[in-house]
Amino acid sequence: MINSFKYIVEVIFLLSMTLFLTSCEEKKKVEATKKYNGPLMATENLNVMYSDSGRTTVKLTTARQLKFENEDEVYPKAVYVTFYDKNGVEYSSLRGDSGRYEKSKGLYKVMGNVFFFNRLQQQSLSTEVLNWSPVQKKVFTDKKFTIKTPKEELHGIGMDADQDFTHYTMRRTKGTFAVDSLNAQTDDDIATDTTSY
């Protein structure tokens, strides 16, 4: 009787150990399949300089950068981008509350209270999201925007521009446009104008 009781205890002990070890193995397998998707690196007070033929053309600064395994970057704090001409003189600047860089597209996205200003032409762009492609040297948005120049204030949804903001194309626009009536007339209009003063 004692031997059979001892045998039952040993069997129960072996079964419980087997179940315990099996559950540990399952737990390890579940933990092994969970992959970390967070940032691999964090950088404080980042300054990135782009150059062409040894001259600085663009400078990007932000207080914090998070870099991920796929080489995407997130800038959770304000982002500042400064553009320089061939003489190293700052001609335009871009600012947003946060940003990100998508490595696969080679595209920066500046977000939240975005303000882009061209000092030479005294024109500005305000929007909520502005994309910048350093390769194409273009900025663009599909969001609402406001462009202010010394003579005009334009509103619309969607626009594309050179990164120096000298030439831009707008979509779905409205606003007050300044038009030089003499330059807007064609030769036919001038030839047939019979208005007397």
Side-chain angles (χ1 to χ4, degrees):
M1 181 85 156
I2 293 176
N3 283 340
S4 65
F5 179 73
K6 193 176 181 184
Y7 177 75
I8 293 172
V9 170
E10 286 177 7
V11 168
I12 292 172
F13 177 75
L14 286 174
L15 284 173
S16 62
M17 286 305 289
T18 304
L19 289 172
F20 175 74
L21 292 174
T22 305
S23 67
C24 287
E25 283 296 317
E26 291 297 320
K27 187 175 181 181
K28 286 181 184 176
K29 286 180 184 176
V30 170
E31 287 176 0
T33 59
K34 290 182 183 177
K35 187 175 180 182
Y36 176 70
N37 290 324
L40 299 179
M41 182 173 66
T43 304
E44 305 296 324
N45 301 318
L46 178 74
N47 285 303
V48 177
M49 308 290 255
Y50 286 86
S51 62
D52 183 16
S53 304
R55 291 186 321 258
T56 298
T57 55
V58 180
K59 180 174 89 171
L60 180 141
T61 59
T62 185
R64 185 165 172 79
Q65 173 205 47
L66 303 173
K67 195 161 191 168
F68 294 82
E69 185 176 1
N70 62 359
E71 297 187 42
D72 283 1
E73 300 170 7
V74 172
Y75 314 113
K77 298 191 176 188
V79 177
Y80 301 89
V81 183
T82 307
F83 299 90
Y84 298 93
D85 67 13
K86 62 183 177 182
N87 299 318
V89 176
E90 179 184 330
Y91 65 82
S92 62
S93 59
L94 167 62
R95 183 241 173 254
D97 291 342
S98 65
R100 66 183 312 117
Y101 172 67
E102 296 177 23
K103 172 76 173 173
S104 62
K105 298 178 182 178
L107 191 67
Y108 287 89
K109 184 177 286 196
V110 181
M111 302 167 286
N113 298 310
V114 177
F115 186 75
F116 190 61
F117 185 68
N118 181 311
R119 285 173 176 62
L120 298 177
Q121 298 192 3
Q122 293 296 303
Q123 54 190 20
S124 67
L125 165 72
S126 301
T127 187
E128 282 304 306
V129 177
L130 188 66
N131 300 289
W132 167 51
S133 171
V135 174
Q136 296 176 343
K137 298 182 179 177
K138 299 277 186 191
V139 294
F140 61 92
T141 186
D142 291 327
K143 304 293 183 188
K144 290 181 181 179
F145 69 85
T146 300
I147 294 176
K148 292 182 180 178
T149 71
K151 297 179 180 180
E152 304 167 323
E153 181 170 321
L154 312 169
H155 304 271
I157 300 173
M159 61 82 58
D160 303 278
D162 297 334
Q163 75 179 15
D164 62 5
F165 202 50
T166 52
H167 300 95
Y168 48 87
T169 304
M170 302 173 286
R171 302 182 291 274
R172 296 174 55 190
T173 60
K174 63 180 180 178
T176 305
F177 297 83
V179 177
D180 185 345
S181 62
L182 292 177
N183 288 335
Q185 292 179 341
T186 64
D187 290 338
D188 293 332
D189 292 336
I190 294 170
T192 59
D193 188 3
T194 58
T195 306
S196 59
Y197 295 98

